[in-house]
Amino acid sequence: MPESWFLEGPAGAGKTTYAIQYCHDLVRNDVSPEAILVMVPQRALGRPYQLAFTGSDWPNGTQIDIVTLGGLARRGLEMFWPLIADKAGFAHPEWEPAFLTIETSQYFMARFVNSAVKTGIFDSINVPPFRIMGQLLDNMSKAAVNGFLLDEVADRLITAWGDRHSSRPSVYRAGVDIAQHFREYCLQNNLLDFSLQIELFMNHLLSEPVYRNFFASRYGHLIADNIEEYFPVADDFIRDVWQELDSALLIYDTDGGYRVFLGADPGGMHVLRNLCDHIEIITETRVISPEAAALVSEFDHLLALNSLPPLLEVNPGEIITIASHKFYPDMIEWVVARIVELIAQGIPPGEIVILAPYLGDSLRFVLMSRLEEAGIAAVSHRPSRAVRDEPAARAALTLLALAHPAWEYHPPAADVADALHQVIDDLDPVRAWLLAQIVYRPGRDELGSFDGIRAGAQERITYRAGEKYERLREWLIRYRSEADEVPPDHFFSRLFGELLSQPGYGFHADFEAGRVVAQLVESARKFRRTLYPDGVDQWDAVTHEYFTLVQDGVLAALHVPSWQQQEEDAVFLAPAYTFLMRNRWVDYQFWLDVGSNQWWERLEQPLTHPYVLARNYPLDQVWTDDLEFRYRRDALRRLLMGLVRRCRKHIFMSITSLGEQGYEQRGPLLHLLQQIVQRYGDVQEAAE
Amino acid sequence: MLPSGFQYSQSSMQDYVDCPRRFQLRYVESQPWPAVQAEPFLEYERHIERGATFHRLVERHQLGIPADVLESGIQDNDLKAWWRGYLGFDDVHNMDGKRYPELTLSADLDGSRLTATFDLLVVLPGQRIVIFDWKTYRGRPSKRVFASRLQTRVYPLVLCAAGAGLFGGPVNPVQVSMVYWVASYPNEPIEFEYSEEKGATDRDYLQSIIKDIDRHQNNTIWLLTSDMSRCKYCEYRSLCGRGDAAGQFAELDNNHDNIIDSIVIPSLEDVEEVGF
């Protein structure tokens, strides 16, 4: 290759800006934009490129492709499928493949998991079936992104478990057996989950001459940004195409690697520097203050063990304020009050983020409500909040159940009341409850008529609300005669369009409800199109199946996409890792509950392991408490340094003596802060 | 007002011309509204899907996958008929020149970005560029209908402004032509020659649309179309208080077939990375 560069530096050093300028220079030197491939580890990180390539200073011409490895794989498989399907062992290579989502993968995995659960093999781990499905799919992805065979997953997990007395090794083996059955089913039915997409791309498509020729004639220049977040197979991919490129720029974020739990391999990707002709290392960031840089050094020193203590020229305590509270609600009040003050000083809401290690429903709700009361725009992102838990989706699902009395699923009266309150404009919760108590009788075929209610109750409910209720009731009754012709996604679309979003109903002009129901429709549509691509004679059973899977937590489990919302001028409320992966800079950060152990705990996932299922983890090494401690410490170091490097002005940290669950808080982050306070003395401490 | 990074396209501009409020909801607000667009829904969906499959088949063919390999996978008779029609469309197969299937070009238009994704461009460097656009409508619209669509104005304009890299130098409008090929009428392609005069007129017209859009405030409700028949096939009809039932697919005439043009073939942006 004529030229290749490796550019390394901390967040805020200007690496992506440099890469964008590099693209400008290529195009200025007559490189056709479509010959440039920009790779990013996840789509949010491609946003700066997308903005730059659509700016008014970007030259007219073809467009630069901005892709993730998964995106590149999927596009290649979609287009060149007929060339590889047979060779890859699919039973019906003449059929088009179905690309599975996480949800539909879980659905197909469910049949294997559920039958294994019945045998009792998973009794010892006390994990609900839908979590077993998720962890087994995770193992398959880990195998694919590391280039392992599925058998190696079990081998690694069993070896790492060591000689602890337990049934765990047989559980691991059972997990891999299920994964293999799932894989076989996919091959029989042309189903491509994420792991199979990656494997097909790496093992078949990349060596297919027509594709290879297409790739080589199309792309001459590679820009790979944030490579520290890439999977090991991305390393294989880059090495594979390396010699065919005219130039490459690889960009590495020092101390990044926030996606290790998903399979990222920052250490392995760093070795790619050895391929490059030129290596540039930037040590300074252009964004943060000297005090923030000192705080970064402090965290590095305290957590990396081997680094030297920073010089005391600058006091990192000047950019932090620590406030202690006894109870959780006090902390929330303090945070909201500080934000109100900042906004009164003219700080745009979009320059403020509130970060927690995990974002539970109640914390999210209370904070969002308090900010709303204060008239402050806020958006939240909680990846673990399922669509089905959103009020609008719950209402739609309750109405689906009411429309199908033959299913003999009787929603609780409270759910019916809540649905009526949600969807009928004039019905407050008290009236909705009253109406539900009168018209809903679990087990009865249909909702009672408003006309049949005593006059006094009708008056209390109001005739206006009663009229709308009656239209809803009639719609549901009318639908029943058509239920066999209506797939589940179509039910939600019709209910939404024909009634719930009409003037006078609760979702009319309710943009949030529109977003939520759209996500529910999408979930049902993908389910229907993947499982029943040729349709069925009677849809009622399919709709019932969808509903049951939602109730079981298998479907409608994804969150409403909110990544676009981060660009709104609003306070952003998110888990700390979510914020980091957006790679966004703000003036002010609020760290909640810094005494919590959750700042360094990882999810309890007994069937998988992010560190053991990694290419760089020795095959014969037992996972010990010492290793756990070291990896946690390193993860915390990366997290804290990453957060501080994305803060331009000030970090407000709050401590509560008792956590959300009422337990005393003495986590490692608190301990670190105490050490910094002792060292510098004059950290700002807010009075309660 | 428009989201950062927004690029105008023929379909977004057509939306604005058809109904400013629809443009506002779709592109300014990015507001999903999951109502049904046309009934019977499954028939409508199958039609859209068949169109997307046809586009993918042609792209595969243009990328070098042999026709017999592709044909062996076609199960649907309508699709097979379209495919055979395409194979018999000699104008495209016999033409010399470099082929660019599904290529996107973008150009600056007075500080706004205008983009076009071409089904197929065939380029004879320095001599000629032909835009081919596959249409999977059920009927064959008249040339006058095609002439009135914004696509006929946006595509050649973007190509002239942004095609120099493919052409090996500035593209003169007279070197550009655009061919609409309707799958159900494979022997009746509709061709438009381009000219400097048309280029100037189109540029003025598109600039006037963008200026008009720029004059709007986002905190107001933009003008709703006065042609209520459009609302029957628009998912926002309930939000606008313009009816409760979707229009009939069988009655969907060519003037409204543009909704089929807006089929979204999954882009890389939509691909899920692993995320359990």
Side-chain angles (χ1 to χ4, degrees):
Chain A
M1 185 193 305
E3 294 272 28
S4 54
W5 286 267
F6 188 90
L7 178 59
E8 179 178 354
K15 303 185 296 299
T16 299
T17 307
Y18 177 87
I20 289 167
Q21 186 55 47
Y22 178 84
C23 292
H24 270 282
D25 293 344
L26 285 175
V27 174
R28 204 173 293 120
N29 287 311
D30 290 332
V31 169
S32 184
E34 87 266 18
I36 302 171
L37 180 66
V38 174
M39 276 182 68
V40 289
Q42 65 178 45
R43 64 183 182 187
L45 296 175
R47 190 72 177 139
Y49 292 95
Q50 208 174 32
L51 294 177
F53 302 155
T54 52
S56 56
D57 61 338
W58 184 251
N60 295 350
T62 50
Q63 291 206 322
I64 292 182
D65 279 341
I66 307 163
V67 299
T68 59
L69 184 69
L72 191 67
R74 174 162 174 172
R75 185 164 66 173
L77 292 171
E78 270 182 333
M79 211 42 65
F80 295 92
W81 172 254
L83 299 178
I84 60 143
D86 195 18
K87 295 173 198 166
F90 284 88
H92 300 283
E94 72 282 6
W95 297 352
E96 288 295 315
F99 291 87
L100 300 184
T101 61
I102 294 169
E103 279 200 347
T104 48
S105 298
Q106 288 197 351
Y107 168 82
F108 287 111
M109 181 62 97
R111 60 185 66 188
F112 303 108
V113 168
N114 289 338
S115 54
V117 165
K118 283 181 193 152
T119 68
I121 184 73
F122 293 118
D123 285 356
S124 60
I125 56 167
N126 194 26
V127 173
F130 74 94
R131 293 223 182 275
I132 296 175
M133 295 165 212
Q135 289 178 40
L136 296 185
L137 287 166
D138 193 10
N139 282 351
M140 295 184 79
S141 292
K142 292 278 187 345
V145 301
N146 283 287
F148 301 154
L149 294 173
L150 284 174
D151 280 335
E152 192 175 330
V153 170
D155 294 346
R156 282 176 169 269
L157 291 170
I158 290 167
T159 305
W161 187 252
D163 57 3
R164 297 170 175 95
H165 180 70
S166 159
S167 59
R168 194 64 67 89
S170 55
V171 169
Y172 291 144
R173 270 192 217 98
V176 168
D177 286 346
I178 290 170
Q180 275 162 339
H181 284 122
F182 171 77
R183 172 60 55 81
E184 186 52 38
Y185 187 84
C186 289
L187 290 170
Q188 289 297 319
N189 294 280
N190 285 30
L191 304 173
L192 272 59
D193 70 312
F194 177 80
S195 68
L196 192 49
Q197 291 172 41
I198 294 293
E199 288 186 23
L200 290 174
F201 179 70
M202 294 303 297
N203 302 337
H204 293 277
L205 198 56
L206 269 184
S207 51
E208 167 56 47
V210 176
Y211 180 74
R212 201 57 193 227
N213 193 28
F214 158 78
F215 190 91
S217 61
R218 174 74 183 265
Y219 301 114
H221 305 269
L222 173 69
I223 288 121
D225 202 348
N226 288 106
I227 63 170
E228 75 288 346
E229 307 295 346
Y230 286 20
F231 306 131
V233 286
D235 177 308
D236 302 341
F237 167 76
I238 290 171
R239 288 175 189 276
D240 195 340
V241 300
W242 192 256
Q243 289 307 327
E244 292 161 19
L245 297 170
D246 297 323
S247 80
L249 169 63
L250 309 183
I251 298 172
Y252 188 94
D253 192 343
T254 316
D255 302 315
Y258 312 120
R259 299 204 324 161
V260 167
F261 66 98
L262 287 175
D265 179 19
M269 296 306 295
H270 196 254
V271 180
L272 282 174
R273 61 188 271 155
N274 299 337
L275 287 179
C276 297
D277 306 320
H278 311 281
I279 296 171
E280 295 278 341
I281 296 176
I282 311 169
T283 51
E284 302 291 313
T285 91
R286 304 194 302 194
V287 177
I288 59 172
S289 63
E291 290 77 15
L295 185 59
V296 168
S297 301
E298 274 295 337
F299 282 138
D300 191 24
H301 163 62
L302 292 169
L303 288 164
L305 299 173
N306 54 357
S307 72
L308 295 171
L311 300 173
L312 287 165
E313 290 167 353
V314 183
N315 179 3
E318 287 180 16
I319 72 142
I320 58 177
T321 297
I322 299 175
S324 299
H325 312 279
K326 185 156 190 188
F327 299 110
Y328 230 70
D330 302 332
M331 174 185 78
I332 289 165
E333 291 310 313
W334 180 81
V335 167
V336 173
R338 296 293 78 71
I339 291 174
V340 168
E341 283 172 11
L342 288 172
I343 288 179
Q345 291 163 21
I347 306 300
E351 286 297 338
I352 301 168
V353 292
I354 306 173
L355 304 171
Y358 293 99
L359 193 55
D361 266 343
S362 57
L363 175 60
R364 175 179 177 268
F365 176 77
V366 173
L367 268 166
M368 292 295 282
S369 306
R370 290 290 295 113
L371 290 168
E372 190 183 335
E373 284 164 24
I376 296 168
V379 291
S380 76
H381 180 81
R382 198 195 135 209
S384 54
R385 184 179 169 85
V387 174
R388 63 170 180 269
D389 294 333
E390 298 288 344
R394 282 208 317 266
L397 287 161
T398 300
L399 294 175
L400 177 68
L402 292 176
H404 292 89
W407 294 351
E408 297 195 349
Y409 171 83
H410 310 300
D415 287 5
V416 175
D418 186 57
L420 293 173
H421 161 59
Q422 291 278 332
V423 306
I424 297 176
D425 232 6
D426 307 293
L427 212 52
D428 61 36
V430 177
R431 288 185 173 86
W433 177 247
L434 175 63
L435 179 61
Q437 288 292 310
I438 298 169
V439 298
Y440 177 56
R441 291 278 176 276
R444 201 166 72 180
D445 249 16
E446 60 189 49
L447 292 169
S449 159
F450 184 74
D451 294 338
I453 301 175
R454 282 186 296 106
Q458 280 186 336
E459 271 173 38
R460 281 177 64 196
I461 292 161
T462 75
Y463 290 102
R464 199 179 154 89
E467 190 185 327
K468 288 172 191 161
Y469 162 75
E470 202 53 32
R471 268 185 68 195
L472 170 66
R473 190 180 84 91
E474 283 165 11
W475 192 97
L476 294 173
I477 292 170
R478 210 168 39 246
Y479 158 79
R480 280 162 55 185
S481 63
E482 306 163 19
D484 272 340
E485 293 153 34
V486 181
D489 49 319
H490 191 202
F491 169 85
F492 293 127
S493 280
R494 277 188 54 192
L495 178 65
F496 179 84
E498 293 175 15
L499 201 73
L500 306 188
S501 63
Q502 288 293 327
Y505 285 85
F507 296 170
H508 181 65
D510 181 343
F511 288 174
E512 183 57 21
R515 259 186 279 277
V516 168
V517 178
Q519 185 78 0
L520 189 63
V521 169
E522 189 60 14
S523 154
R525 179 166 297 154
K526 283 180 174 161
F527 164 80
R528 189 245 313 163
R529 288 172 60 113
T530 308
L531 271 66
Y532 304 97
D534 301 322
V536 293
D537 292 335
Q538 298 190 326
W539 285 105
D540 183 63
V542 174
T543 305
H544 189 201
E545 185 183 13
Y546 177 78
F547 179 78
T548 306
L549 289 163
V550 172
Q551 297 297 105
D552 291 348
V554 177
L555 297 181
L558 298 183
H559 58 89
V560 178
S562 64
W563 67 274
Q564 298 95 333
Q565 294 176 345
Q566 67 167 319
E567 288 179 7
E568 289 175 20
D569 186 17
V571 173
F572 185 50
L573 174 59
Y577 275 106
T578 301
F579 171 71
L580 270 186
M581 284 312 298
R582 304 285 171 97
N583 202 24
R584 215 182 124 186
W585 278 260
V586 291
D587 284 349
Y588 296 94
Q589 294 181 2
F590 285 82
W591 296 6
L592 301 185
D593 200 9
V594 294
S596 166
N597 264 320
Q598 291 181 327
W599 281 91
W600 88 333
E601 277 173 355
R602 61 188 174 88
L603 289 174
E604 169 65 14
Q605 293 179 304
L607 286 171
T608 186
H609 199 296
Y611 300 116
V612 169
L613 297 181
R615 192 181 281 186
N616 61 6
Y617 187 83
L619 267 166
D620 58 352
Q621 186 160 321
V622 176
W623 183 257
T624 60
D625 288 347
D626 183 48
L627 278 176
E628 177 75 34
F629 181 80
R630 274 172 40 203
Y631 275 80
R632 281 189 188 193
R633 205 176 163 99
D634 184 58
L636 183 63
R637 184 181 72 89
R638 290 173 192 272
L639 172 69
L640 298 178
M641 291 169 70
L643 292 178
V644 179
R645 280 185 173 139
R646 287 167 178 79
C647 181
R648 296 191 202 93
K649 291 186 178 162
H650 204 83
I651 302 171
F652 296 88
M653 303 178 183
S654 59
I655 305 165
T656 55
S657 309
L658 301 175
E660 201 174 8
Q661 312 301 329
Y663 298 114
E664 201 172 343
Q665 304 280 73
R666 284 186 186 165
L669 174 54
L670 182 59
H671 182 62
L672 291 175
L673 292 172
Q674 283 165 344
Q675 287 176 275
I676 293 171
V677 169
Q678 277 170 10
R679 184 163 149 89
Y680 292 94
D682 55 350
V683 170
Q684 297 175 52
E685 294 193 46
E688 275 210 64
Chain B
M1 178 180 67
L2 282 159
S4 45
F6 177 79
Q7 303 191 79
Y8 286 98
S9 65
Q10 60 93 8
S11 55
S12 65
M13 290 183 120
Q14 188 72 55
D15 273 338
Y16 181 75
V17 170
D18 288 348
C19 177
R21 176 62 170 156
R22 182 156 78 197
F23 177 90
Q24 182 188 25
L25 289 164
R26 265 194 198 154
Y27 305 104
V28 181
E29 312 272 357
S30 304
Q31 179 59 52
W33 204 250
V36 180
Q37 282 185 304
E39 293 278 12
F41 169 74
L42 289 174
E43 190 184 330
Y44 168 66
E45 185 186 72
R46 262 195 302 276
H47 183 74
I48 288 184
E49 199 176 347
R50 192 179 292 127
T53 307
F54 176 76
H55 278 74
R56 190 169 54 231
L57 273 172
V58 172
E59 187 184 0
R60 284 174 174 173
H61 187 235
Q62 292 293 334
L63 285 170
I65 301 180
D68 57 334
V69 173
L70 294 171
E71 184 159 329
S72 67
I74 303 175
Q75 326 278 331
D76 177 299
N77 287 336
D78 289 342
L79 183 61
K80 193 169 276 183
W82 290 354
W83 168 251
R84 296 243 167 106
Y86 157 78
L87 291 180
F89 181 37
D90 292 338
D91 289 4
V92 74
H93 304 300
N94 295 340
M95 208 179 148
D96 289 334
K98 189 160 183 198
R99 280 143 203 278
Y100 297 92
E102 295 295 329
L103 185 79
T104 301
L105 292 177
S106 74
D108 182 72
L109 188 66
D110 278 355
S112 295
R113 205 82 197 165
L114 185 57
T115 184
T117 298
F118 302 92
D119 287 345
L120 178 67
L121 281 181
V122 182
V123 182
L124 270 169
Q127 297 177 47
R128 193 177 166 213
I129 307 189
V130 183
I131 303 165
F132 287 97
D133 197 80
W134 324 121
K135 292 294 182 205
T136 51
Y137 300 156
R138 289 164 307 151
R140 180 183 177 277
S142 67
K143 187 163 183 175
R144 201 168 55 84
V145 169
F146 277 116
S148 71
R149 305 302 300 170
L150 270 173
Q151 185 177 13
T152 310
R153 311 179 82 161
V154 169
Y155 276 33
L157 185 76
V158 171
L159 180 58
C160 289
L166 308 173
F167 200 54
V171 182
N172 187 327
V174 295
Q175 294 168 305
V176 171
S177 59
M178 179 162 184
V179 177
Y180 287 105
W181 182 83
V182 182
S184 311
Y185 297 84
N187 301 319
E188 299 172 44
I190 295 157
E191 186 167 352
F192 291 90
E193 296 295 335
Y194 209 48
S195 67
E196 277 191 35
E197 191 190 350
K198 276 186 186 169
T201 310
D202 290 347
R203 172 172 277 272
D204 288 348
Y205 178 56
L206 298 177
Q207 279 173 335
S208 73
I209 293 175
I210 292 174
K211 273 192 191 136
D212 203 37
I213 291 170
D214 286 345
R215 273 197 289 272
H216 284 80
Q217 303 287 321
N218 191 30
N219 52 5
T220 59
I221 291 178
W222 296 13
L223 193 66
L224 277 63
T225 180
S226 56
D227 179 357
M228 303 275 276
S229 72
R230 292 202 168 108
C231 306
K232 286 196 294 183
Y233 301 99
C234 174
E235 72 269 30
Y236 296 114
R237 83 185 74 83
S238 58
L239 183 57
C240 300
R242 291 267 178 105
D244 55 7
Q248 287 300 304
F249 177 51
E251 295 163 16
L252 184 69
D253 63 30
N254 294 319
N255 283 328
H256 292 124
D257 257 0
N258 67 304
I259 60 172
I260 291 171
D261 285 341
S262 64
I263 31 171
V264 181
I265 297 169
S267 70
L268 293 174
E269 288 295 301
D270 299 323
V271 171
E272 288 175 27
E273 284 299 281
V274 61
F276 297 103

